[in-house]
Amino acid sequence: MSLRLKVILFMLAFSISFFLSLYFIADKIIIQNFKTLEVQSTTRNLDRAEKALEARIRQLEVFATDYAVWDDTYQFVKDQNDKYIKATLINQTFENSKINLMIILDKEGKQLFAKAYDFEKDQPLLLPQGLLEHLNPDDLLINHANTEGVSGLLVLPNEIILISSQSITTSDKEMPSNGTFIMGRYLDQEEQAQLKETANLDIEFVPYKNKQELSMIDNVDDFLQHKTAIKEIDQNQIVGYKIKDDIYGDPQLITKITSTRDIY
């Protein structure tokens, strides 16, 4: 073999090796950059899901405040008059406000009115199991730390409730509170479907202590500390997890979103 041919073959082998190395390095960098973008996109989607849920809670808070800060409600706490019951505490109120729960208590915590209702099926429900344990006079839902009340998530044995509890006063807010007005909406399948549509995301809410779901997360300790985790399921799906606290500030729910990995 001539020297010239050896040089040509060497240069050809070197060029192939160089370009293959360059390709794999560039491919790795590009894939890594896309993975970074995936994580950022999934994090933004988790924020969108949380904001959609918070918007529902704020909407409920507005409804509860409207009824709590009202002369008619203030008077009802004083005398439990039938006029208020027949005009306000009716099925249509549940249907119009899309609520499942309404409770009125006086300032001592005595229950003056309590009703659970399925506005989708137009039928009464039993009060959810475990709810009364949260309605003691010294409980957060009754003993508000401030006049703004409290709104958020309440997780019961069989229900997850979006809840808002507001101090009852007069329409001009001049009189001291004489009770508490509570409204609730179940975070059931219908409500979750509405949230999916609103956020345009594949959202699922799972219990915080769901061992099967936690087993899917690579570093559970890091997740529990930072309250957010991203998991690549396969080449087609990526999942984001975010912990949601209840009204007491305790972790109770995991917001889970599943997204398609368009890069692949």
Side-chain angles (χ1 to χ4, degrees):
M1 182 182 295
S2 66
L3 179 61
R4 181 183 179 186
L5 182 57
K6 288 181 179 180
V7 171
I8 292 173
L9 290 175
F10 172 78
M11 292 301 295
L12 181 62
F14 176 80
S15 298
I16 292 173
S17 176
F18 174 77
F19 283 112
L20 281 175
S21 299
L22 189 63
Y23 169 78
F24 286 118
I25 292 172
D27 182 65
K28 185 175 182 179
I29 293 173
I30 291 171
I31 291 296
Q32 186 58 48
N33 286 339
F34 271 115
K35 285 186 175 182
T36 300
L37 291 174
E38 273 188 329
V39 170
Q40 292 173 348
S41 176
T42 303
T43 301
R44 286 194 298 270
N45 286 341
L46 282 169
D47 290 338
R48 282 173 54 200
E50 184 172 43
K51 286 179 180 178
L53 182 61
E54 283 298 321
R56 294 296 235 215
I57 294 172
R58 297 285 80 81
Q59 180 190 55
L60 186 65
E61 182 178 79
V62 169
F63 289 150
T65 302
D66 284 346
Y67 282 93
V69 185
W70 188 24
D71 290 340
D72 289 7
T73 304
Y74 192 83
Q75 185 63 36
F76 173 76
V77 174
K78 294 173 67 176
D79 61 17
Q80 293 91 67
N81 63 87
D82 289 338
K83 182 180 177 181
Y84 182 85
I85 294 174
K86 293 176 180 178
T88 305
L89 307 179
I90 55 178
N91 294 346
Q92 189 175 354
T93 301
F94 288 82
E95 294 164 3
N96 292 343
S97 302
K98 299 291 186 291
I99 60 171
N100 300 106
L101 187 67
M102 192 188 300
I103 299 172
I104 301 175
L105 306 103
D106 65 17
K107 61 182 179 181
E108 281 77 34
K110 178 184 176 183
Q111 192 179 113
L112 305 179
F113 177 85
K115 183 176 180 177
Y117 184 79
D118 188 334
F119 60 81
E120 294 283 353
K121 298 180 180 178
D122 188 22
Q123 63 184 30
L125 300 170
L126 295 174
L127 290 178
Q129 180 184 351
L131 175 63
L132 296 181
E133 298 172 10
H134 297 270
L135 301 182
N136 297 311
D138 59 347
D139 192 87
L140 180 63
L141 286 174
I142 309 302
N143 185 20
H144 302 147
N146 55 64
T147 57
E148 298 301 319
V150 59
S151 302
L153 284 176
L154 181 63
V155 179
L156 300 176
N158 300 318
E159 300 286 353
I160 302 169
I161 303 179
L162 310 182
I163 199 163
S164 181
S165 174
Q166 303 297 323
S167 297
I168 296 173
T169 185
T170 51
S171 300
D172 59 11
K173 299 184 180 180
E174 292 295 325
M175 298 298 290
S177 173
N178 68 348
T180 303
F181 194 100
I182 297 173
M183 273 189 173
R185 180 184 296 157
Y186 296 162
L187 189 59
D188 53 19
Q189 291 183 347
E190 289 80 7
E191 183 68 11
Q192 292 190 39
Q194 287 288 328
L195 284 167
K196 287 182 181 181
E197 184 176 348
T198 299
N200 193 26
L201 293 169
D202 184 1
I203 308 173
E204 183 181 354
F205 297 96
V206 296
Y208 171 72
K209 295 181 180 179
N210 187 311
K211 293 182 179 180
Q212 180 179 354
E213 208 65 57
L214 287 175
S215 68
M216 298 290 293
I217 299 171
D218 293 329
N219 191 331
V220 175
D221 290 336
D222 184 74
F223 172 57
L224 298 180
Q225 179 181 355
H226 296 98
K227 297 191 174 184
T228 302
I230 310 295
K231 171 73 174 180
E232 298 172 9
I233 301 301
D234 51 34
Q235 290 189 343
N236 299 313
Q237 290 185 324
I238 186 169
V239 176
Y241 302 90
K242 191 167 187 176
I243 295 174
K244 177 70 175 174
D245 293 343
D246 64 6
I247 57 173
Y248 301 104
D250 298 323
Q252 290 289 353
L253 204 65
I254 297 175
T255 303
K256 174 185 175 182
I257 62 165
T258 304
S259 304
T260 302
R261 304 185 73 188
D262 296 326
I263 180 178
Y264 293 101

